[in-house]
Amino acid sequence: MRTIYRLNLTTGEATKEEAPPRYVKLGGRALTAAVLLDEVDPAAHPLGPKNKIVIAPGLLGGTTVPNSGRLSVGGKSPLTGGIKESNAGGTAADRLARLGIKALIIEGQAPGKTYTARVTQEGVEFIPAPQLAGKGNYETAGLLRNRYGPRASLITVGPAGERGYAAAGIAVTDLEGRPSRMCGRGGLGAVLGKKGLKALVIEAPGAPLRSPARKDHFQETLQKYREIILANPATASYADYGTAAMVDVMNEIGGLPTRNFSRGRFAGAGRINAARLRENILSRGGAGKPTHPCMANCLVKCSNVYPDETGKELVSPLEYETIGLLGANLGIADLDAIAALNHRCNDLGIDTIETGGALGVAMEAGLAPFGDADAAFFLLDEIAGGTVLGRVLGQGAMVTGRVFGVTRVAAVKGQGLPAYDPRALKGVGVTYATSPQGADHTAGQTVRAKVDHRRPEGQADVSWNAQVNFAVFDALGLCMFVIPSLVAHPEVLADLVAYFHGWDFTAEDLRELGRQVIRTEREFNAQAGFTRAHNRLPEFFREEILPDTQTVFDVPEEELDSLEVR
Amino acid sequence: MRTIYRLNLTTGEATKEEAPPRYVKLGGRALTAAVLLDEVDPAAHPLGPKNKIVIAPGLLGGTTVPNSGRLSVGGKSPLTGGIKESNAGGTAADRLARLGIKALIIEGQAPGKTYTARVTQEGVEFIPAPQLAGKGNYETAGLLRNRYGPRASLITVGPAGERGYAAAGIAVTDLEGRPSRMCGRGGLGAVLGKKGLKALVIEAPGAPLRSPARKDHFQETLQKYREIILANPATASYADYGTAAMVDVMNEIGGLPTRNFSRGRFAGAGRINAARLRENILSRGGAGKPTHPCMANCLVKCSNVYPDETGKELVSPLEYETIGLLGANLGIADLDAIAALNHRCNDLGIDTIETGGALGVAMEAGLAPFGDADAAFFLLDEIAGGTVLGRVLGQGAMVTGRVFGVTRVAAVKGQGLPAYDPRALKGVGVTYATSPQGADHTAGQTVRAKVDHRRPEGQADVSWNAQVNFAVFDALGLCMFVIPSLVAHPEVLADLVAYFHGWDFTAEDLRELGRQVIRTEREFNAQAGFTRAHNRLPEFFREEILPDTQTVFDVPEEELDSLEVR
């Protein structure tokens, strides 16, 4: 797997090259970060032709390793102005890896044009696709499946990306062809959309799984890997309740963002939690599925299919972050409404986290009442319609706050916070503050750490550990929901890599890989103008006591800064 | 002149204190910078209660020195996120200095409230003024003059400041009581407005001019100072044509921003230049005045009163930056329309430079056609009405570009460019890029420097010299239009300071004062998170050839960075 394709929208040419030796041991987020630092001027305008989008499967993509199908997408973010990686499950990473493709590097810009790029065993070709311009992700995926067959894997942007909204994500199709596995964060959909690349179609019929270099050892380690994951109670919980289990956890902790992060407990939590979600799915039947895999060979199956009262699919998946940000954070205690909002966001191709943050700010500004789902739909209509208000909201929470004069904006480095209030879950607060990715729980989740989440002590260490671990999994292409199982078994992971690739590769090498990812990203950001002053939470988290925990975010700045030298 | 008043909007108290020794030799911009670095957390939200507004006359304010009436206003800028000083002429600096007031430090916040502060020989008192909420600057000034008499000097914010628009400025009344001498740049009007302080009323009846410490030497030096200024041909030109003389100069150079900085020459320049301005004023008569002082004891009189066809005052003054940004940059070749737009901006309390930049971006985005003055009025109506579009425009050029997906945005550190295209006038380009103030020609104007403005060579030195000189004049409270006369006579300025204050003070001390201002501002910005990556012009100035000069901005980045260590 040494092939890199360069897709240049300015010239309309796609060229093939072999990955240089320094990239061989990099995959996923590690590779997107390295390519961006090597090739993109950190001063470049994120929506101009000098920015690039790098798409890469992980080091274990396209193999028999379960849960290895995460696809990393990287670029300079229009939301943060810094480096960004956002990854998703679905089918694309597996296909690309089977085709021997280490990365797609998408360059240049075709202003006002709409292309698709078809990626097959024969190579890459651009195909003009003006008929797809402005189409939602679902319709786009349907049209492309009609043309290229149901097994084609798709990477698409919706109208939000085409319009350059900084909240725009990139959709990857799941096993059934839904364009709903979102590389949501950081606005990378806008970068791709502004380049004029509406969709990538990846066809790999008959392309075999990649073979391990040291088959026996690999199989043996793989067996251990599977057993560890299946033995962990977290795995079963994901299958039963999905990520929505976090609603009760965070409501209990007191850090479920409610009404624009003004409270940490939501009176309507019982109506949007995992129990209610499961009950609705099971009682309604029809298309509903309480557990569902987003990629082939998944041991976790945290995904679901959420049906309406008649059993017709409303959205798949319905996940915690969306429930938190489009639900509690807007005061909306109605899973059906949240699911419908989610579907609309997916179709537009905007991140539910950033959108929920922006709508929360808009509600605080008085544009709509908290708790009013119809009003939330109306705001999404504005986004869809490209009205001035819609364009403001489409730029995310920070710009919305600036335009409407709201100073309580939960964002770091310009990116809105996921559904964990940092005053209640201080380790994640450290991650939000210090990650080169901006406020992002997937850059280092600490909710499972054995610490008192409300106390400041030790959170910097907990966060740093998580940040390195998450970077490792992102580099390997592994789903973050196997981290709880494998975090105590780094040697199993290292062996998998070593035996698959035939490398000498230890648990320490693995950890160093994770650290290296973060250092590379920091270096890009430093050149883009980020300093420790950007490694801070918004003022109000330090000043305003969260009523439900009676805490503020009080991890000392020196501790945040101590992460710089690690 | 050692008195500092602290006006705390949170507590509603005003307290008097003596300036500490380290502030004694600082005035104007030097003092606002020092107080901000000492007292304001660079991480503070610019529109929150932790930001402060510092108001200070210069070291020569309230004296018999002509042109010494500039008032410095400083704060953390909501536009740039960094330190900001904006100064204006008018009557306030003179009054404050005569009252022995070295600085007013305005702290805290009274959300939703509207106060005035009355500053007299007896002290400072807050007066609730809900009747002024939302009123334009002209009506506000009229109501306050009715109450406090025509000789009261006023510092006010319009509705733009009250709403927290980052393009909002602070108005100072002139000799006739017009609230039209604008501390326009950086959005400091929003800081004051959000604090709830709508106006300061300064009454100093009978307060004497300050007396020099060494009278004879001072008088002798003052005579030299006057002679040097009066002997300079630039002085006479300012009286005849005002700053509008720059229209022809810049059009000739090819750097008159036209249609959102896409051209450097404007076909309609002859209809908006100084000759036309003077002709209109002289031929229409009535209230019109081709030359007019903004402060007492002015030798330059660059201001004017521009009348409509019936001789009725349209606006005073009508200046180059406004003509450039609201005229050529919008493709509007009509001085009457520009004057009316200017008056409307003054009344709203928004900076004509930032507003012209934002409207230019909006026109590039297709919201209105270039050249359509009615459409420009419509956009100002939106700003006045507080509609969503108006709120976006009120945030300035950068946010407007982001919301409407325009990548060609002429701004540095978030602040829109004045009316000098940096591809044609590269010394000012260096100032725009490197000044801690963001894009600001008054932080270091180079148009009079004896260099080839289109060549990159030597511009860093030229800009640095100008930056230091302008900082000196801002610290003394002197108008920048005496710089062309005095720049070759630093010893005269130093002697004025030395003899007035009774200090040992040399030309080198003066220069060091200027350097110290910039270092202090840089230090604040460094703590706020600025790096050399922020000392750059927008990408398009380096990439897009200006058709009228066939140049790009090509001063090497190393030369920009060389300013960091000076």
Side-chain angles (χ1 to χ4, degrees):
Chain A
M1 193 171 102
R2 290 283 293 260
T3 300
I4 290 179
Y5 280 107
R6 252 171 228 285
L7 286 64
N8 188 316
L9 274 293
T10 303
T11 64
E13 282 175 12
T15 51
K16 184 177 181 174
E17 60 195 52
E18 184 165 301
R22 69 179 181 284
Y23 290 166
V24 168
K25 293 194 176 178
L26 304 178
R29 177 175 162 197
L31 185 57
T32 63
V35 173
L36 292 170
L37 184 61
D38 286 347
E39 301 194 7
V40 172
D41 177 359
H45 196 297
L47 299 182
K50 291 164 77 181
N51 196 6
K52 302 189 181 187
I53 286 288
V54 186
I55 298 179
L59 281 177
L60 295 174
T63 70
T64 55
V65 177
N67 296 80
S68 64
R70 298 295 290 190
L71 182 75
S72 285
V73 178
K76 176 170 168 166
S77 164
L79 201 55
T80 71
I83 198 167
K84 192 68 212 167
E85 184 260 10
S86 189
N87 64 63
T91 54
D94 178 71
R95 304 285 161 82
L96 289 172
R98 288 185 192 218
L99 289 172
I101 296 173
K102 197 161 176 73
L104 302 172
I105 303 177
I106 300 162
E107 310 179 325
Q109 203 161 55
K113 298 285 172 55
T114 307
Y115 286 96
T116 57
R118 189 167 170 234
V119 182
T120 66
Q121 214 123 16
E122 280 71 50
V124 177
E125 58 170 335
F126 283 111
I127 302 159
Q131 74 282 5
L132 297 180
K135 296 242 185 290
N137 271 319
Y138 291 101
E139 186 180 359
T140 298
L143 291 166
L144 291 171
R145 277 201 310 273
N146 287 347
R147 173 152 178 190
Y148 298 103
R151 299 211 49 206
S153 177
L154 307 174
I155 300 172
T156 60
V157 296
E162 295 175 74
R163 289 214 189 97
Y165 291 174
I170 294 175
V172 180
T173 47
D174 69 5
L175 293 165
E176 293 86 29
R178 294 180 195 88
S180 62
R181 311 311 308 190
M182 303 296 290
C183 299
R185 310 244 59 205
L188 297 178
V191 182
L192 204 56
K194 281 288 170 189
K195 288 192 178 305
L197 190 59
K198 174 80 177 168
L200 292 120
V201 181
I202 304 151
E203 296 172 73
L209 285 166
R210 298 161 68 205
S211 325
R214 301 176 60 182
K215 206 159 187 170
D216 290 356
H217 286 91
F218 177 75
Q219 290 302 350
E220 201 175 296
T221 312
L222 194 57
Q223 193 49 35
K224 279 190 217 165
Y225 171 94
R226 298 175 60 92
E227 283 164 10
I228 290 167
I229 294 171
L230 292 172
N232 191 309
T235 304
S237 166
Y238 280 124
D240 286 341
Y241 296 107
T243 58
M246 203 55 81
V247 173
D248 285 343
V249 173
M250 288 310 298
N251 200 51
E252 178 60 32
I253 288 176
L256 178 66
T258 301
R259 297 173 178 251
N260 192 32
F261 288 83
S262 65
R263 305 297 300 251
R265 288 209 172 100
F266 180 43
R271 284 181 279 154
I272 59 171
N273 66 2
R276 175 62 75 96
L277 177 73
R278 186 173 167 85
E279 186 191 312
N280 284 359
I281 295 173
L282 292 177
S283 68
R284 292 171 176 184
K289 292 181 186 173
T291 179
H292 169 260
C294 80
M295 62 173 80
N297 199 9
C298 171
L299 298 178
V300 175
K301 303 183 186 67
C302 71
S303 180
N304 54 34
V305 180
Y306 186 83
D308 68 13
E309 288 188 338
T310 70
K312 189 166 159 264
E313 177 174 327
L314 259 177
V315 78
S316 169
L318 183 55
E319 300 201 58
Y320 171 65
E321 299 303 326
T322 303
I323 297 172
L325 270 304
L326 290 175
N329 194 50
L330 305 185
I332 296 174
D334 177 347
L335 277 177
D336 291 4
I338 297 167
L341 290 168
N342 189 353
H343 187 272
R344 188 83 197 274
C345 286
N346 289 354
D347 197 42
L348 291 170
I350 43 171
D351 181 21
T352 54
I353 297 177
E354 196 65 47
T355 304
L359 265 55
V361 170
M363 286 178 169
E364 175 160 334
L367 271 78
F370 283 110
D372 185 339
D374 289 339
F377 276 107
F378 166 76
L379 294 175
L380 291 190
D381 284 344
E382 297 278 318
I383 295 175
T387 64
V388 179
L389 174 56
R391 287 176 176 276
V392 171
L393 298 169
Q395 290 297 325
M398 195 71 125
V399 167
T400 301
R402 198 160 151 191
V403 168
F404 293 107
V406 175
T407 54
R408 294 180 71 270
V409 177
V412 179
K413 299 184 177 71
Q415 182 170 264
L417 261 62
Y420 305 87
D421 193 299
R423 292 166 290 190
L425 194 62
K426 293 182 180 172
V428 164
V430 175
T431 300
Y432 289 159
T434 61
S435 168
Q437 298 290 330
D440 195 335
H441 66 297
T442 66
Q445 174 59 281
T446 69
V447 68
R448 291 173 184 276
K450 304 283 176 244
V451 288
D452 182 342
H453 296 302
R454 293 184 187 173
R455 293 185 61 83
E457 289 81 12
Q459 302 291 357
D461 287 335
V462 166
S463 167
W464 176 247
N465 252 322
Q467 289 189 49
V468 172
N469 276 328
F470 279 66
V472 167
F473 281 71
D474 292 344
L476 301 183
L478 295 181
C479 172
M480 63 187 256
F481 299 131
V482 297
I483 297 183
S485 305
L486 286 156
V487 69
H489 305 278
E491 73 292 347
V492 172
L493 274 187
D495 283 352
L496 268 187
V497 175
Y499 297 141
F500 184 82
H501 288 283
W503 302 335
D504 283 333
F505 203 83
T506 66
E508 179 50 28
D509 291 330
L510 206 61
R511 205 167 159 75
E512 179 56 22
L513 176 64
R515 284 190 293 253
Q516 192 52 47
V517 170
I518 297 169
R519 283 189 213 117
T520 302
E521 293 172 343
R522 281 179 185 164
E523 175 57 28
F524 186 98
N525 278 3
Q527 291 182 33
F530 285 79
T531 72
R532 62 173 54 172
H534 302 95
N535 288 349
R536 299 288 181 263
L537 295 183
E539 193 172 303
F540 82 88
F541 286 121
R542 287 196 177 271
E543 304 274 332
E544 191 182 299
I545 293 168
L546 183 64
D548 313 273
T549 58
Q550 289 295 312
T551 51
V552 295
F553 184 76
D554 55 358
V555 176
E557 295 193 343
E558 308 77 64
E559 291 204 30
L560 300 180
D561 295 340
S562 76
L563 265 59
E564 286 172 29
V565 293
R566 303 195 196 192
Chain B
M1 193 170 102
R2 291 282 294 260
T3 300
I4 290 178
Y5 280 106
R6 253 171 226 285
L7 283 65
N8 189 314
L9 274 294
T10 303
T11 63
E13 282 176 14
T15 52
K16 184 176 181 177
E17 59 195 51
E18 184 166 304
R22 70 180 181 283
Y23 290 166
V24 167
K25 292 192 176 180
L26 304 178
R29 178 175 161 198
L31 184 58
T32 62
V35 173
L36 292 170
L37 184 62
D38 286 347
E39 300 195 5
V40 173
D41 178 359
H45 196 297
L47 299 181
K50 289 164 77 181
N51 196 5
K52 301 188 182 187
I53 287 287
V54 186
I55 297 179
L59 279 178
L60 294 175
T63 71
T64 55
V65 177
N67 295 81
S68 63
R70 299 294 290 190
L71 182 75
S72 285
V73 178
K76 176 170 170 167
S77 165
L79 201 55
T80 71
I83 198 167
K84 193 67 208 166
E85 183 260 11
S86 190
N87 63 63
T91 54
D94 177 71
R95 304 284 160 84
L96 288 172
R98 290 187 192 214
L99 289 173
I101 296 173
K102 197 163 177 68
L104 302 172
I105 303 177
I106 301 161
E107 311 179 325
Q109 203 162 53
K113 297 285 171 57
T114 306
Y115 285 97
T116 58
R118 189 167 170 235
V119 182
T120 64
Q121 213 124 17
E122 280 71 49
V124 176
E125 58 170 336
F126 283 111
I127 302 158
Q131 75 282 3
L132 298 180
K135 295 243 184 294
N137 271 320
Y138 292 101
E139 186 180 356
T140 298
L143 291 167
L144 291 171
R145 276 202 309 274
N146 286 347
R147 173 153 178 190
Y148 298 103
R151 300 210 50 204
S153 178
L154 308 174
I155 300 172
T156 60
V157 296
E162 293 174 76
R163 288 212 190 97
Y165 291 175
I170 294 175
V172 180
T173 46
D174 67 5
L175 292 166
E176 293 86 30
R178 293 179 196 89
S180 63
R181 312 309 311 189
M182 304 294 292
C183 298
R185 310 244 58 204
L188 298 178
V191 182
L192 204 55
K194 280 289 172 189
K195 287 191 178 307
L197 190 58
K198 174 79 176 168
L200 291 119
V201 181
I202 304 151
E203 294 172 73
L209 286 166
R210 298 160 68 205
S211 328
R214 300 175 59 182
K215 205 160 191 171
D216 291 354
H217 285 91
F218 177 74
Q219 290 302 349
E220 202 176 297
T221 311
L222 192 58
Q223 193 50 34
K224 282 190 218 168
Y225 171 93
R226 297 175 62 93
E227 283 163 12
I228 290 166
I229 294 172
L230 292 172
N232 192 308
T235 303
S237 167
Y238 280 125
D240 285 342
Y241 296 106
T243 58
M246 204 55 85
V247 173
D248 285 343
V249 173
M250 288 310 299
N251 200 52
E252 179 60 32
I253 288 176
L256 178 66
T258 301
R259 294 171 180 255
N260 193 32
F261 287 82
S262 64
R263 304 298 300 253
R265 289 210 171 99
F266 179 42
R271 283 183 278 154
I272 60 171
N273 65 3
R276 176 61 75 96
L277 177 72
R278 185 174 168 83
E279 185 191 313
N280 283 1
I281 295 173
L282 292 177
S283 68
R284 292 171 176 184
K289 292 182 186 174
T291 179
H292 168 260
C294 81
M295 61 174 78
N297 199 7
C298 171
L299 298 178
V300 175
K301 304 184 185 65
C302 71
S303 180
N304 53 33
V305 180
Y306 186 82
D308 67 14
E309 289 188 339
T310 70
K312 191 167 157 261
E313 178 174 328
L314 259 175
V315 76
S316 170
L318 182 56
E319 299 200 57
Y320 171 65
E321 299 304 325
T322 303
I323 296 171
L325 271 304
L326 290 175
N329 194 50
L330 306 185
I332 295 174
D334 177 347
L335 277 178
D336 292 4
I338 298 167
L341 291 167
N342 188 350
H343 187 272
R344 190 82 198 275
C345 285
N346 288 353
D347 196 42
L348 290 170
I350 43 170
D351 181 20
T352 54
I353 298 178
E354 197 64 45
T355 305
L359 264 57
V361 171
M363 285 180 170
E364 176 160 333
L367 271 78
F370 282 111
D372 186 339
D374 289 340
F377 275 108
F378 167 76
L379 294 176
L380 291 190
D381 284 344
E382 297 278 318
I383 295 176
T387 65
V388 180
L389 174 55
R391 286 176 176 277
V392 171
L393 297 169
Q395 289 299 323
M398 196 72 128
V399 167
T400 301
R402 196 158 154 192
V403 168
F404 293 107
V406 175
T407 54
R408 294 180 71 270
V409 177
V412 179
K413 298 185 176 72
Q415 182 171 264
L417 262 61
Y420 305 87
D421 194 299
R423 292 166 290 189
L425 193 64
K426 293 182 179 171
V428 164
V430 175
T431 300
Y432 288 158
T434 61
S435 168
Q437 297 290 329
D440 195 336
H441 66 297
T442 66
Q445 173 60 278
T446 70
V447 69
R448 291 172 183 275
K450 303 283 176 243
V451 289
D452 182 342
H453 296 302
R454 293 183 187 173
R455 293 185 62 82
E457 289 80 12
Q459 302 292 356
D461 288 335
V462 165
S463 167
W464 175 248
N465 251 321
Q467 290 190 48
V468 173
N469 276 328
F470 278 66
V472 168
F473 281 72
D474 292 345
L476 302 184
L478 296 181
C479 171
M480 62 188 257
F481 297 131
V482 297
I483 297 183
S485 305
L486 285 156
V487 70
H489 304 280
E491 74 290 348
V492 172
L493 275 187
D495 283 353
L496 269 187
V497 175
Y499 297 141
F500 184 85
H501 288 284
W503 302 334
D504 284 333
F505 203 80
T506 66
E508 178 49 31
D509 291 331
L510 206 60
R511 207 168 157 76
E512 179 56 22
L513 175 64
R515 285 190 292 254
Q516 192 51 48
V517 169
I518 297 170
R519 283 190 213 115
T520 302
E521 292 173 344
R522 281 179 183 163
E523 175 58 28
F524 186 98
N525 278 2
Q527 291 183 31
F530 285 79
T531 73
R532 63 172 54 173
H534 301 94
N535 289 349
R536 299 288 182 263
L537 295 182
E539 194 172 304
F540 83 89
F541 285 121
R542 287 196 177 270
E543 305 273 332
E544 191 182 299
I545 293 169
L546 183 63
D548 313 274
T549 57
Q550 290 296 312
T551 51
V552 295
F553 183 76
D554 55 358
V555 176
E557 295 192 343
E558 308 78 63
E559 291 204 28
L560 299 180
D561 295 341
S562 75
L563 265 57
E564 285 173 29
V565 292
R566 302 196 197 191

